[in-house]
Amino acid sequence: MHLDEPMGIFSKTCEYAMRAVFYIAQKSEEGQKVGIREIALHINSPEPFLAKILQKLSKDGLILSSKGPNGGFYVDSGGLQRPLADIVRAIEGDSIFTGCGMGLSYCSESNPCPLHEDFKKVRGQIVVMLQNTLIGKFNEGLIAGQLTLNK
Amino acid sequence: MHLDEPMGIFSKTCEYAMRAVFYIAQKSEEGQKVGIREIALHINSPEPFLAKILQKLSKDGLILSSKGPNGGFYVDSGGLQRPLADIVRAIEGDSIFTGCGMGLSYCSESNPCPLHEDFKKVRGQIVVMLQNTLIGKFNEGLIAGQLTLNK
DNA sequence: TAAATAAAAGATAAAAAACTCTTTTATTTA
DNA sequence: TAAATAAAAGAGTTTTTTATCTTTTATTTA
Ligand code: FES
Ligand code: FES
C-alpha cells in the first residue's frame, strides 16, 4: 500500500469540504462572502475540485452562494448553528455513522463482527464529535489565528 | 457521492485483511492450515484480490504460509498474540494512527486544526481498539459461532 | 446596456483502489 | 518420478476518486 499523502478516516472530498465550510463560516461571521479562488488558497485545495464540492453543498442547502461581483459563498446565522455532521453526511453518506468497522454489510447486535463492541464506541465518539461541532464553533479561534485550515 | 456499498473508516483491502486474519487465526487454533478459496468463501471477499492481500501480509511476516497439498495460510502461537494494529498498519500505513482528521499534512499541538482536540481522542480510541485486539482474541467466539466474518 | 465578476454545469483526464486472469514455483503424496 | 495441490508473482482490467478545463448563466456596477 503506497502512500504519498496520508489517508485519514475521511475522504479528501470530505476533508476539503470541512475545511472550506469552516473558512466560509469565519468569513461570514466577518460579514463577507468569499470566492472559490480565495477559499482554495486558504485551505490548500485544488480550486476546480473544490468548486464541485461547494456546488454540491450549495445545492443541498448547506451553504449559500450568490453569483456576480461581490458574490461568493457564505452561510447565514442558521447555517452557523448546523453541525459539521451535516456536511460529512452530505459528502460521505451515512455509513460512517452506522456501518460496520470490518466491512460487513450490516452492523447488528444479533450478528456482530469481532470488533463490534469496540467499534460502536469509536463510531459513537465520531458522531459526538461531528454533532457537537457547530459550523461556527471555531470562528473566534480562526479569526485569532490560533487554528489552521491550510497545510 | 454515490454509495453502492457503504464506505467505512478502513479501506476494503484493510477490511478483507482483518476478516481474513481472524478466520486464519481461528483455523490455526484448531490446528488447520487454510487455503485462499476457503478463506474467501467464509469472509465473503473476491478470491484473487484476497490472494494479493495475503501475499503481502505473508511477505511482511504477519501470517505464515506453505505451498503444496495440505498447505495454506496459518499463524503460530506468537502470531495469535500480535495486535490487529499490526495488520492495519501494514495495509493502511501509519496515518490512521497519527494523521490529521481534516487532512492537514501534519497534526500538531502548536498548529492545530479545528477538530484537533476531539479527533485526537477518536484516534486514540482507534489505536486502543486495534492494539488491544490480539489476533487470537475472538477464536472462542468465532468457533462457537457467536461472531460473524461474512456479510 | 456593456463590461466585469463569479458561480453552475458539463465534459474530460489522471491517479488510485479494487478486482481478475495467467503463469510460475514449491511441496506433497501416490 | 508424476500428478495434484496450493501459494507467489506478474500482467492486466475495471471502477471510483480526485482533479482539470471549458462553456454557460446569473448578477452587479459603471
Ligand atoms: S457488526 Fe461490525 S461493527 Fe457492528
Ligand atoms: S491538526 Fe488536525 S487532528 Fe491534529
Side-chain angles (χ1 to χ4, degrees):
Chain A
M1 190 119 306
H2 180 258
L3 300 169
D4 258 6
E5 303 209 19
M7 169 186 45
I9 75 172
F10 301 110
S11 67
K12 290 226 169 136
T13 305
C14 190
E15 291 172 348
Y16 294 147
M18 294 191 289
R19 304 216 298 271
V21 167
F22 281 132
Y23 187 77
I24 294 167
Q26 171 196 352
K27 287 297 176 175
S28 290
E29 185 123 321
E30 299 177 299
Q32 297 168 36
K33 290 173 188 164
V34 59
I36 294 176
R37 170 124 5 122
E38 181 184 338
I39 304 172
L41 207 65
H42 282 85
I43 71 168
N44 205 277
S45 75
E47 185 185 321
F49 188 46
L50 180 65
K52 288 296 173 196
I53 298 169
L54 295 184
Q55 272 167 37
K56 176 172 179 34
L57 294 180
S58 175
K59 216 181 298 179
D60 290 359
L62 295 168
I63 59 177
L64 303 167
S65 71
S66 66
K67 292 182 178 182
N70 304 323
F73 294 93
Y74 62 103
V75 287
D76 59 21
S77 54
L80 290 175
Q81 295 302 115
R82 299 185 71 159
L84 190 57
D86 288 1
I87 304 292
V88 174
R89 193 176 276 109
I91 301 289
E92 305 265 31
D94 237 43
S95 62
I96 201 157
F97 299 97
T98 61
C100 166
M102 291 185 61
L104 301 184
S105 56
Y106 51 80
C107 167
S108 78
E109 299 296 329
S110 59
N111 229 10
C113 77
L115 293 188
H116 178 74
E117 287 307 319
D118 286 319
F119 191 73
K120 254 198 315 185
K121 287 189 201 121
V122 169
R123 225 173 33 193
Q125 209 169 328
I126 293 172
V127 171
V128 165
M129 170 178 81
L130 296 176
Q131 287 291 345
N132 284 355
T133 302
L134 304 188
I135 285 166
K137 184 176 181 184
F138 299 108
N139 284 347
E140 295 76 17
L142 288 165
I143 292 168
Q146 295 146 355
L147 295 172
T148 306
L149 293 172
N150 58 351
K151 342 197 103 185
Chain B
M1 189 122 307
H2 181 257
L3 299 169
D4 257 5
E5 304 209 18
M7 169 185 48
I9 75 171
F10 301 110
S11 67
K12 290 222 169 145
T13 305
C14 190
E15 291 173 347
Y16 294 146
M18 295 191 289
R19 302 216 299 270
V21 167
F22 280 133
Y23 186 76
I24 293 167
Q26 171 196 351
K27 287 295 175 178
S28 291
E29 185 123 322
E30 300 178 297
Q32 298 168 35
K33 291 171 186 163
V34 59
I36 293 175
R37 169 122 9 119
E38 182 185 337
I39 304 172
L41 208 64
H42 282 84
I43 71 167
N44 205 277
S45 75
E47 184 185 322
F49 187 47
L50 179 64
K52 287 297 173 196
I53 298 169
L54 296 183
Q55 274 167 37
K56 177 172 178 36
L57 294 180
S58 175
K59 216 182 298 178
D60 290 359
L62 294 169
I63 59 178
L64 303 167
S65 71
S66 66
K67 291 183 179 181
N70 304 323
F73 293 92
Y74 61 103
V75 287
D76 59 19
S77 54
L80 290 175
Q81 294 301 118
R82 300 185 70 161
L84 190 60
D86 289 1
I87 306 289
V88 174
R89 195 176 273 108
I91 301 288
E92 304 265 30
D94 238 44
S95 61
I96 202 157
F97 299 97
T98 59
C100 166
M102 291 184 61
L104 303 184
S105 56
Y106 51 81
C107 167
S108 77
E109 299 295 329
S110 59
N111 229 11
C113 78
L115 292 187
H116 179 74
E117 287 307 320
D118 286 319
F119 191 72
K120 254 199 315 185
K121 288 188 201 122
V122 169
R123 227 172 35 195
Q125 209 170 327
I126 292 173
V127 171
V128 165
M129 171 178 80
L130 296 176
Q131 287 292 345
N132 284 354
T133 302
L134 304 188
I135 285 167
K137 184 175 182 185
F138 299 108
N139 284 348
E140 295 76 16
L142 287 166
I143 292 168
Q146 295 146 356
L147 295 173
T148 305
L149 293 171
N150 58 351
K151 340 196 107 185

